[in-house]
Amino acid sequence: MNTTTDLKVVYFPSCINRSMGKNSFQSADDLQLTELTHKLLVRAGFTIIYPKSIDSHCCGMPFSSKGFAEANHTQCEALETALLKASENGKYPVLYDMSPCFYHSKEAFSEALKIVDPIEFMLDYAMPNLTVKNKKDTVAVFPVCSVKKIGKMEQLLALSQICANNVTIIDSNCCGFAGDRGFLIPELNEHGLRDLKSQIPANCKEGFSTSRTCEIGLEKMSGIDFKSIFYLIEEVTR
Amino acid sequence: MLAPSYQKLKDILSKSIDPKRILTNPLQTLAYGTDASFYRLIPKIVILAHNETEVIEIIKQAKLLDIALTFRAAGTSLSGQAITDSVLVVATHGWKNFELLDNNQKIKLEPGIVGARANTFLAPHGLKIGPDPASIGAAMVGGIVANNASGMCCGTAQNSYQTIADIRIILNDGTILDTADLESVASFKNNHNGLIQEIETLRDAIKSDEILYHLIKNKFKIKNTTGYSINAFVDYQDPIEIIKHLMVGSEGTLAFISNVTFQTIIDEKYKSCSLLIFNTIQDACNATILLKSRPVAAVELLDRESIRSVENDPEAPKYFKTLPESACALLVECRDNDLIVLHQKQEQIRFQIQSIPTYTDYEFTSNPKQYYFNWKARKGLLPTVGGLRKNGTSVIIEDVAFPLSQLADACLALKNLFKKYEYHDAVLFGHALEGNLHFVFSQDFSNQAEIDRYEKLMSELAILVVDRFDGSLKAEHGTGRNMAPFVEKEWGTKAYEIMKRIKNIFDPHNKINPDVLINPDPKAHLKNLKPMPESHAIVDKCMECGFCEPHCVSEGLTLSPRQRIVIAREISRLEETNENPQRLTDIRKDVTYQLDETCATDGLCALACPVYIDTGKFVKEWRANQINASDRKTAAYIGSHMAGTTAILRIGLKSVSFFHSLFGTKIMKALSNGFHFISFGKVPKWIPEMPKGANKINIKN
């Protein structure tokens, strides 16, 4: 896919991943996701472009979910402008590190930008330049709603199977964490993931997904370490 | 206020069933009381029963108080068989157990299992269940059996009636009969000798009446769900077998179905299909007759209007737009586990119908894109009518069957009938191989003139189907309330008397789903019609089919997307009519938590919706309406100060994890209720899984 020596990517770290750090399973010397993504992209030979004033950007979804249509619109437009600039009007792909944010922008942006969801980016852009050196044995993988909505379930499975011998795809509706709803209405998350534990094989200690907030609820309801699939890819290509 | 006897029932049952699952408030009784039909009754009590013990207790206590019960699973049936103004017992959550038996030749299923889910249990073994209703993604086993549901491929050979191996039922006195358990059967024969004798008497009476015997045999050669499955008396001798098969298609009027064991069916690996266009309906029907003897898996008929509904699809062939008005399509499907045999089947089909000219050449395809388009043409019909209908109208799906030899004439007669009563949006399609036709059209029930028009249509439809063509008035969807006034018309007095006796044997006091299937009121099909008020542009096209429910995270906790829309519609109706301010106040009291706060707005409901409604989008708009100006200012402020917000969050989360390491989980949980930051002034509850704060991004490469 990428044969050019000048591999450039615009990386847009979501506001969630910019503010929420590691989970309780991770140790002091583990990297937080934004740092890990940076490291992984460099390993895959990419030059990373960060959008200007990155800390002020968000896809708008937290506003949209709560019914703040105007604030959402303002955020969307500002982000699109910043990404157009950073990607030189769509010359370089833009990596999103969370599926829901990608989906939200995809719905709102014009065609000029080439934004790429975490699964597609890893499968089509990064993996061809990486070598899997130590495949994992057993992992659980959770397809978040946006993955189902953009029809990337099979790609998620394919990506997971490159990195692990036994992949359990969690069968579930929305996990019910729904952004920050899991903090406000924990019973929705508990109800949504009531069958989660029974789906995870006994020898499976790690789960992966593509949305930080969903991972909080998945960790809570499964009792195992749930984090971004980028961690899995980084570990097996180390 | 509940009537005294209902209050008493609620009080007694609350001792053994979690009171949280005994619902009497106006919001929940309406939400759970709604099914996919165009009828509406609101239950006084809804009980979410989780197991057999609870159901037995409900049956026994209701009997003592002389209170009527209606049992229901998914509520996807269309004829009004799953609604009540008394007590609704919902058997969905808690009824999910299954068991593969006899080397996968059988599968035992509880009533709350979605049909498609049962098929996922069987798929690894190359098997499936027989019944294949279009609603299989939402319909549950209890309803599939109770309605003898069928669909595109199962015909009359693989429906519940033909593939049922065993059943476990709870009768009106709380007794269990499990046909798979020899002891249960023996004790049942002992304790219910009178019932067994009555079944035997009926059997012998039918078998000794040659005219009746042949009438029954003939009428079940094609799909028929009008009245009870009285073919059980013709097909079986053993009274237990008769009872087992009578339960199929009994629409919850005889007993509660606690589990069912099906014979499993081979699910062929290789599939191909072709869309054949004929010059006329007659040609298409004649081709269908010829195909009846050939190894086809499905033959679906689509009239010209149906083809029109997909002609603008990018995948559609250009000539679709220029087809003559008389044209008619057949979607022919082949299946086999052996690719070579599959190709042989295709050739046999081609040879069989070579005498009948087609409008263009045709090829069978297994290419996913083309295969999918062909079926999309067939499956897109309901949403086409549903999505284009005028707001405030209901979608009606008529469901008749004719002897195959009469199909062409019947099609034309039906088309003329719809023209006569000016149902111009009607599309005609169906499972041609079984002589089963569906007409989908929209119907306004909001004024008497429109109701009168519908009444005339139905009366004339009954004459056309029964007198002229000797067909079935309900081929697949069950009698319910919609066809109950016509059962005698279709079957004749003698057979109808037998059906009334069946009801009397199992339910002498008429307390199990009364007024369904057997109903003395000649106008029952015109009563309790569901209002369809306009509420919001995003949801106005909702048909309340329930296809969304299995895909919703809050279903079972609070409301499903369908139920949210039902509540929104009721609020709009009450606001509009002002007929019951108290009811409006009561519903509004619960609506924030039930409809708004517990919706995850994930949009998965839209993937399953035939008319593509994203109820999450609607809920976001609902939230927007609830927001006051100061909240908006806060959001705008947070938005314009995003950098600051994420910084607060980063520092906030860091301080939380600092405190967490200091105090430990237990104390933190206690502290958390006063400990907050994001969520626009709302307070996220602290949980041990709360992440640590992130470090600021260093953007130097």
Side-chain angles (χ1 to χ4, degrees):
Chain A
M1 175 141 259
N2 295 292
T3 50
T4 154
T5 50
D6 181 31
L7 280 179
K8 281 190 177 170
V9 61
V10 175
Y11 171 35
F12 168 57
S14 67
C15 68
I16 299 280
N17 285 327
R18 294 197 315 265
S19 24
M20 289 188 174
K22 291 174 286 191
N23 71 24
S24 52
F25 283 90
Q26 291 173 288
S27 61
D29 49 7
D30 279 323
L31 294 175
Q32 70 181 49
L33 183 66
T34 51
E35 295 160 352
L36 177 119
T37 307
H38 189 108
K39 186 176 168 182
L40 186 58
L41 291 173
V42 171
R43 185 181 302 161
F46 285 93
T47 304
I48 304 160
I49 306 164
Y50 284 97
K52 282 262 179 312
S53 22
I54 192 160
D55 277 342
S56 62
H57 289 298
C58 151
C59 70
M61 191 175 177
F63 299 95
S64 155
S65 302
K66 293 183 166 55
F68 298 106
E70 277 170 45
N72 165 45
H73 188 68
T74 310
Q75 287 294 326
C76 262
E77 282 201 327
L79 178 62
E80 188 172 20
T81 307
L83 294 179
L84 274 167
K85 209 167 166 179
S87 66
E88 295 178 27
N89 291 322
K91 190 172 162 187
Y92 306 114
V94 181
L95 166 66
Y96 276 61
D97 59 11
M98 271 181 50
S99 298
C101 317
F102 165 80
Y103 184 84
H104 191 76
S105 289
K106 189 86 196 152
E107 295 275 275
F109 286 1
S110 67
E111 289 297 302
L113 263 171
K114 182 155 184 45
I115 61 171
V116 192
D117 75 274
I119 298 164
E120 186 188 341
F121 189 88
M122 286 300 153
L123 199 57
D124 295 348
Y125 293 71
M127 285 323 262
N129 306 331
L130 294 164
T131 314
V132 176
K133 296 169 186 164
N134 45 353
K135 221 170 164 177
K136 278 215 181 260
D137 183 40
T138 306
V139 299
V141 174
F142 184 85
V144 302
C145 299
S146 358
V147 173
K148 289 176 182 159
K149 288 196 281 189
I150 57 174
K152 289 257 192 281
M153 290 272 283
E154 279 172 29
Q155 286 91 327
L156 177 64
L157 179 63
L159 180 63
S160 312
Q161 285 174 333
I162 293 172
C163 306
N165 293 319
N166 304 300
V167 177
T168 298
I169 295 275
I170 302 294
D171 176 22
S172 163
N173 291 331
C174 165
C175 65
F177 208 88
D180 63 346
R181 210 146 287 264
F183 294 123
L184 302 163
I185 302 185
E187 63 272 31
L188 184 63
N189 179 230
E190 284 156 20
H191 179 75
L193 293 180
R194 63 196 181 280
D195 299 328
L196 176 63
K197 255 202 164 106
S198 62
Q199 290 187 52
I200 295 171
N203 63 336
C204 178
K205 297 290 170 255
E206 282 182 297
F208 299 95
S209 166
T210 53
S211 167
R212 184 70 187 93
T213 42
C214 306
E215 286 149 18
I216 299 170
L218 288 158
E219 182 191 332
K220 178 185 161 194
M221 294 301 290
S222 67
I224 65 167
D225 180 4
F226 251 100
K227 49 190 185 286
S228 166
I229 197 156
F230 290 6
Y231 281 97
L232 173 66
I233 296 162
E234 192 279 327
E235 191 181 339
V236 299
T237 60
R238 222 175 265 168
Chain B
M1 265 305 284
L2 279 178
S5 62
Y6 285 91
Q7 187 59 51
K8 203 166 171 184
L9 181 71
K10 185 184 174 180
D11 294 343
I12 291 167
L13 291 176
S14 297
K15 290 175 192 161
S16 56
I17 298 171
D18 181 354
K20 281 212 272 302
R21 293 192 276 112
I22 304 175
L23 317 172
T24 52
N25 67 73
L27 184 146
Q28 287 177 300
T29 49
L30 173 67
Y32 278 96
T34 299
D35 73 355
S37 75
F38 52 88
Y39 296 96
R40 155 77 41 83
L41 286 169
I42 301 174
K44 293 182 182 64
I45 306 179
V46 175
I47 307 170
L48 310 177
H50 279 190
N51 56 56
E52 207 173 55
T53 313
E54 290 178 356
V55 173
I56 292 170
E57 180 67 7
I58 294 165
I59 289 174
K60 283 184 173 168
Q61 296 301 338
K63 192 175 181 185
L64 288 173
L65 292 160
D66 204 29
I67 286 175
L69 299 174
T70 292
F71 308 119
R72 171 210 291 183
T76 54
S77 60
L78 297 162
S79 304
Q81 55 265 60
I83 55 167
T84 177
D85 55 2
S86 182
V87 175
L88 181 73
V89 180
V90 179
T92 52
H93 293 278
W95 300 88
K96 306 284 188 198
N97 292 312
F98 73 98
E99 194 181 349
L100 285 161
L101 304 162
D102 298 358
N103 199 15
N104 306 330
Q105 286 181 69
K106 292 179 187 170
I107 185 166
K108 184 188 273 193
L109 298 158
E110 289 194 336
I113 295 172
V114 172
R117 187 95 192 132
N119 283 337
T120 62
F121 305 146
L122 291 165
H125 311 287
L127 298 164
K128 62 179 181 185
I129 58 169
D132 63 345
S135 57
I136 197 158
M140 291 174 183
V141 166
I144 288 171
V145 174
N147 292 304
N148 197 15
S150 58
M152 311 223 187
C153 300
C154 85
T156 47
Q158 295 178 342
N159 57 19
S160 298
Y161 181 88
Q162 298 292 358
T163 58
I164 190 168
D166 279 298
I167 196 164
R168 183 177 169 99
I169 52 176
I170 308 173
L171 280 89
N172 77 323
D173 58 357
T175 315
I176 292 176
L177 166 63
D178 187 340
T179 65
D181 177 349
L182 291 176
E183 263 176 52
S184 167
V185 171
S187 88
F188 183 81
K189 283 181 172 169
N190 237 343
N191 303 330
H192 289 74
N193 195 322
L195 189 150
I196 298 276
Q197 272 181 358
E198 288 196 73
I199 294 286
E200 286 173 333
T201 308
L202 268 186
R203 175 199 64 200
D204 298 339
I206 291 167
K207 285 193 168 157
S208 60
D209 183 334
E210 206 168 323
I211 295 170
L212 186 58
Y213 179 88
H214 284 291
L215 172 77
I216 295 169
K217 263 224 168 307
N218 266 328
K219 283 194 65 63
F220 282 105
K221 278 182 183 158
I222 56 173
K223 285 190 182 183
N224 190 326
T225 59
T226 313
Y228 290 115
S229 304
I230 50 177
N231 43 340
F233 293 103
V234 170
D235 298 338
Y236 297 95
Q237 188 67 20
D238 174 22
I240 298 294
E241 283 296 329
I242 293 171
I243 291 169
K244 183 196 294 179
H245 288 84
L246 270 179
M247 291 301 148
V248 178
S250 62
E251 301 180 29
T253 61
L254 303 180
F256 176 88
I257 298 171
S258 191
N259 72 45
V260 174
T261 306
F262 282 127
Q263 305 281 0
T264 55
I265 304 289
I266 291 170
D267 184 19
E268 291 94 348
K269 233 187 327 211
Y270 300 107
K271 299 178 172 79
S272 67
C273 73
S274 183
L275 203 56
L276 286 61
I277 312 279
F278 295 90
N279 295 312
T280 64
I281 285 191
Q282 287 87 334
D283 281 355
C285 291
N286 289 335
T288 307
I289 294 168
L290 293 174
L291 290 173
K292 186 72 185 170
S293 59
R294 292 271 75 93
V296 283
V299 178
E300 293 287 314
L301 177 142
L302 297 86
D303 75 346
R304 181 67 186 87
E305 294 304 320
S306 309
I307 303 165
R308 208 184 309 281
S309 71
V310 292
E311 64 185 20
N312 291 322
D313 192 286
E315 295 292 316
K318 283 210 170 40
Y319 67 81
F320 271 22
K321 290 190 176 170
T322 55
L323 285 174
E325 283 311 297
S326 63
C328 180
L330 287 184
L331 175 60
V332 180
E333 167 107 353
C334 280
R335 294 177 181 182
D336 204 276
N337 264 343
D338 182 329
L339 211 47
I340 294 163
V341 179
L342 182 81
H343 292 145
Q344 286 169 347
K345 283 181 177 178
Q346 290 170 193
E347 286 319 299
Q348 285 175 5
I349 288 167
R350 195 177 285 283
F351 178 76
Q352 185 74 14
I353 56 170
Q354 62 184 0
S355 61
I356 301 173
T358 53
Y359 185 80
T360 52
D361 292 341
Y362 63 92
E363 288 300 331
F364 280 87
T365 179
S366 297
N367 170 311
K369 215 168 173 179
Q370 291 163 314
Y371 180 91
Y372 174 74
F373 169 76
N374 288 348
W375 276 104
K376 189 159 80 173
R378 162 63 183 84
K379 289 180 173 172
L381 298 171
L382 182 60
T384 303
V385 178
L388 294 175
R389 78 190 198 274
K390 207 169 103 237
N391 287 350
T393 62
S394 301
V395 178
I396 311 268
I397 312 174
E398 278 313 322
D399 164 43
V400 292
F402 304 101
L404 202 49
S405 57
Q406 306 267 5
L407 191 61
D409 292 347
C411 277
L412 296 173
L414 280 172
K415 276 184 164 296
N416 287 332
L417 177 65
F418 280 78
K419 234 181 247 152
K420 178 178 171 182
Y421 289 109
E422 300 186 356
Y423 285 92
H424 298 304
D425 66 347
V427 299
L428 167 78
F429 58 94
H431 320 305
L433 205 59
E434 301 295 329
N436 178 195
L437 294 173
H438 295 304
F439 256 102
V440 176
F441 57 94
S442 59
Q443 171 70 50
D444 191 341
F445 285 126
S446 63
N447 66 69
Q448 198 52 48
E450 281 293 296
I451 296 173
D452 291 347
R453 178 167 76 125
Y454 177 71
E455 180 178 11
K456 288 192 187 107
L457 174 82
M458 292 300 284
S459 308
E460 209 161 317
L461 181 74
I463 293 165
L464 184 151
V465 173
V466 175
D467 299 344
R468 210 173 134 191
F469 294 109
D470 218 358
S472 321
L473 284 165
K474 279 286 177 211
E476 294 186 317
H477 300 165
T479 310
R481 292 159 197 276
N482 184 245
M483 216 44 92
F486 301 94
V487 178
E488 187 169 8
K489 161 96 191 152
E490 175 171 335
W491 276 99
T493 307
K494 221 181 224 177
Y496 187 58
E497 284 306 314
I498 284 169
M499 291 185 187
K500 287 202 288 196
R501 273 177 68 185
I502 293 166
K503 173 71 174 169
N504 199 49
I505 290 170
F506 288 94
D507 182 23
H509 306 295
N510 196 25
K511 290 292 170 200
I512 305 180
N513 212 8
D515 300 338
V516 167
L517 202 143
I518 304 283
N519 189 323
D521 181 354
K523 298 220 173 203
H525 62 304
L526 305 169
K527 291 177 181 164
N528 306 308
L529 298 164
K530 186 195 277 182
M532 273 279 167
E534 288 189 59
S535 176
H536 190 290
I538 296 179
V539 299
D540 280 339
K541 299 295 181 215
C542 172
M543 301 182 276
E544 300 183 5
C545 65
F547 285 17
C548 53
E549 295 198 340
H551 304 273
C552 175
V553 58
S554 61
E555 189 283 322
L557 175 72
T558 50
L559 298 176
S560 71
R562 163 168 71 171
Q563 292 172 326
R564 287 189 165 86
I565 294 169
V566 165
I567 298 306
R569 283 175 167 167
E570 180 69 352
I571 289 173
S572 299
R573 190 185 71 85
L574 291 169
E575 282 172 345
E576 181 74 23
T577 60
N578 204 17
E579 69 177 46
N580 192 337
Q582 186 55 52
R583 180 172 167 79
L584 183 58
T585 308
D586 291 344
I587 289 177
R588 280 215 184 110
K589 194 172 68 187
D590 297 326
V591 87
T592 301
Y593 181 76
Q594 294 275 340
L595 183 149
D596 172 351
E597 289 179 344
T598 49
C599 175
T601 68
D602 55 84
L604 290 186
C605 43
L607 300 186
C609 175
V611 288
Y612 318 111
I613 294 168
D614 181 344
T615 306
K617 280 199 173 130
F618 161 69
V619 171
K620 286 181 187 181
E621 301 247 338
W622 177 283
R623 285 171 190 167
N625 284 335
Q626 310 298 314
I627 293 165
N628 60 33
S630 82
D631 283 337
R632 270 196 202 100
K633 275 194 193 135
T634 311
Y637 177 82
I638 290 173
S640 60
H641 297 72
M642 199 70 202
T645 307
T646 50
I648 290 170
L649 198 54
R650 278 203 311 273
I651 296 155
L653 288 170
K654 274 188 182 156
S655 60
V656 171
S657 39
F658 169 73
F659 282 116
H660 188 205
S661 53
L662 207 67
F663 295 126
T665 302
K666 213 168 156 181
I667 294 177
M668 275 310 293
K669 274 199 167 159
L671 279 177
S672 72
N673 295 331
F675 206 106
H676 293 293
F677 20 79
I678 192 182
S679 287
F680 310 130
K682 289 214 169 131
V683 196
K685 285 203 172 65
W686 188 89
I687 53 172
E689 292 76 19
M690 180 82 85
K692 301 175 180 71
N695 300 316
K696 198 165 162 57
I697 292 178
N698 176 358
I699 55 173
K700 290 191 194 80
N701 284 329

